Amino acid sequence: MGHIKKLLVANRAEIALRIMRTAKEIGIETVAVYSEADRNAPHVHYADQAFCLGPAASAQSYLLGDKIIALCLEHQIDAIHPGYGFLSENADFARKVAQAGITFVGPSAESMELMGDKLSAKQTVKQYDVPLVPGLDEAITDIELAKKVANEIGFPVLIKASAGGGGKGMRIVEEASEFESQMARAVSEAEKSFGNGAVFVEKFVGSPRHVEIQVLADHHGNVVYLFERECSIQRRHQKVIEEAPSSVLSEALRKQMGEAAVNVCKACGYQNAGTVEFLLDEKHDFYFLEINTRLQVEHPVTEMITGLDLVREQIRVAEGHPLSFRQEDLRIHGHAIEVRVYAEDPANNFLPNVGKLAVYRRPQGPGIRVDDGYEEGMDIPIYYDPMIAKLIVHAQDRECALARMIRAIDDFEIVGVETTLGFCRFVMGHEAFVSGNFDTHFVNQYFQPASLQPELAAEERLIAGTLTDKVLQESSPQPSVTSSNGRPSSNWKRNRIN
Ligand code: MV4
């Protein structure tokens, strides 16, 4: 706590840059850390000072908490921002940072621990009137009792690992006869993956939406919610598209969910920025799932609709300032959508497709924000998450935001690696997404690799345009490269000209 003069960002790529930009704006000196693979990365050049942590592998670089703390002590660095991933949700690291007298820009080790365990999280929030999925909030020890509960709530049920989260360690049980065998598998998986075999049982919510609430809590007991993000468009628990606000929340439901999220924070003594995840079912009943005790990848959509800088708020809270606004001061302004641009091949089961960014041109113009960590000519390293960029748009309403996102995707030129841009373009044009009528099954339900080639159909409809196109091509020949949106870039432009 106390004024921060020099901040180390224990992360890389876009989020490291994102955090350092705000730090510079508020007059804080910035320190980068990097691995040998990131020697020439933009986040290293951008910082006032930079230190190499070690070889490329995360375990030998970005995960070396003790080395990072030692650097802080040696170089008069008074705070650490962990970003997301890496050390961001490691309670032991947060504790050691605090014990070394360094400010951790995030929640306390205690609330991380309490909420990291799903059973203790459920037990913690249930006294605060937070709706929970029907089921047990204790580890199953008596299998007969667990079966009785499962029969009461009705099949299918879900067995979840208490130490799991983010979709890890879940098993669906369709009928009573499978209960024991699925339970045995769940326990052994949980022991193997987390070193903790505790599992519990919940009603299976079949077609949920994933709606999460951004919260901000200071060290003086003030907690506010910064509204919701709709994150149902995901693939194997990896979000691909996020938006704010959700097109299905009424004002009343938004307030209910927001207040439930605030109660989750109060229950665990939460401080700093956090995200409370809920499942929202078809009847629009909502259930608390977990709290993510970090700044999230998708935080920009919340920044766009609230006008706040979440990193600035995080730093101010960590310095001990009270929040400078109340719940009543907050309003939703317009609509924001984010798509994640990964170096993955959507035509090939989203396999990582790392390589050199031979061409890299960002879209520009009103209401467009690109958070990225690479430049043209750079290699995307194989060692880390293959996200290249986040493309965020903001507009007056959802329809305008959608149109703006389509324009921005079309203007984004990436050559050299396959990316998820074409997939995102497909989602933006899909009737279910456009209407807002979708859930977490969207990708499995609607996406096939063939969805990436709509220009075949478009071409037939655009016979009239072919002549114009010929003229265009003759007067200014276009290279016939395939851009990352999965379509020949010349076709892409032709479709837009017509
Ligand atoms: C569930 C569920 C259905 N019923 N719990 C996946 C991530 C983890 N945070 C919890 N998850 C789920 N929990 C009950 N009782 C369905 C999911 C789920 C899911 C949740 C949010 C976003 C995407 C998802 C994809 C598959 C399953």
Side-chain angles (χ1 to χ4, degrees), residues 116-161:
D117 183 89
K118 304 309 154 214
L119 278 170
S120 70
K122 282 189 122 178
Q123 288 156 10
T124 305
V125 305
K126 80 169 175 187
Q127 287 99 323
Y128 279 72
D129 244 12
V130 177
L132 299 172
V133 188
L136 280 175
D137 62 6
E138 276 176 51
I140 302 174
T141 48
D142 179 344
I143 188 127
E144 288 312 314
L145 173 70
K147 274 162 103 171
K148 187 168 157 280
V149 171
N151 273 316
E152 278 163 21
I153 59 186
F155 286 89
V157 295
L158 212 51
I159 298 178
K160 291 185 174 180

Side-chain angles (χ1 to χ4, degrees), residues 3-15:
H3 185 62
I4 296 174
K5 290 202 292 282
K6 194 169 169 184
L7 174 74
L8 181 146
V9 181
N11 216 300
R12 63 182 298 281
E14 68 91 13
I15 196 63

